[in-house]
């Protein structure tokens, strides 16, 4: 029951996100959020969620999102290319995973 509820909630929120994105763009674009999965993983890992399983917190995930947004916006203001921004995000993920392994 809990797993089914989590999947239903996830599906409903994903659908709501799609509707919001379509309303924002004025058209349905399947490539509109391309690459955001890396940012989502990075935010969760930086927020303290282990990739090896375990628990995280909403506050930690929120702080991870803030860190990733500041990093990406700062790099955009510096005029850095998109591949380099992804590289920097990947390096932050690697650093967060290494810190997580060191913490254990």
């Amino acid at each position: 029951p809990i797993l089914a509820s989590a999947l239903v909630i996830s599906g409903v929120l994903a659908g709501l996100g799609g509707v919001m994105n379509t309303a924002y763009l004025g058209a349905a674009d399947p490539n509109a959020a391309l690459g955001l999965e890396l940012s989502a993983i990075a935010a969760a890992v930086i927020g303290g969620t282990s990739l090896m399983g375990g628990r995280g917190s909403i506050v930690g995930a929120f702080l991870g999102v803030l860190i990733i947004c500041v990093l990406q916006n700062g790099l955009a203001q510096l005029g850095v290319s998109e591949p380099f921004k992804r590289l920097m995000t990947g390096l932050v993920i690697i650093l967060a995973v290494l810190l997580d392994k060191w913490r254990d």
Side-chain angles (χ1 to χ4, degrees), residues 23-99:
Y24 176 73
L25 295 176
D29 183 9
N31 297 320
L34 196 63
L36 288 182
E37 61 277 355
L38 179 64
S39 298
I41 293 169
V45 170
I46 290 171
T49 303
S50 174
L51 286 177
M52 307 306 163
R55 298 176 186 226
S57 69
I58 294 173
V59 173
F62 180 73
L63 292 175
V65 168
L66 286 179
I67 291 170
I68 289 297
C69 286
V70 167
L71 175 69
Q72 290 181 348
N73 287 334
L75 290 174
Q77 287 182 354
L78 292 174
V80 175
S81 65
E82 188 63 33
F84 188 73
K85 284 195 270 187
R86 288 187 185 162
L87 176 70
M88 292 300 294
T89 304
L91 289 175
V92 169
I93 292 173
I94 291 171
L95 179 66
V97 169
L98 289 175
L99 287 173

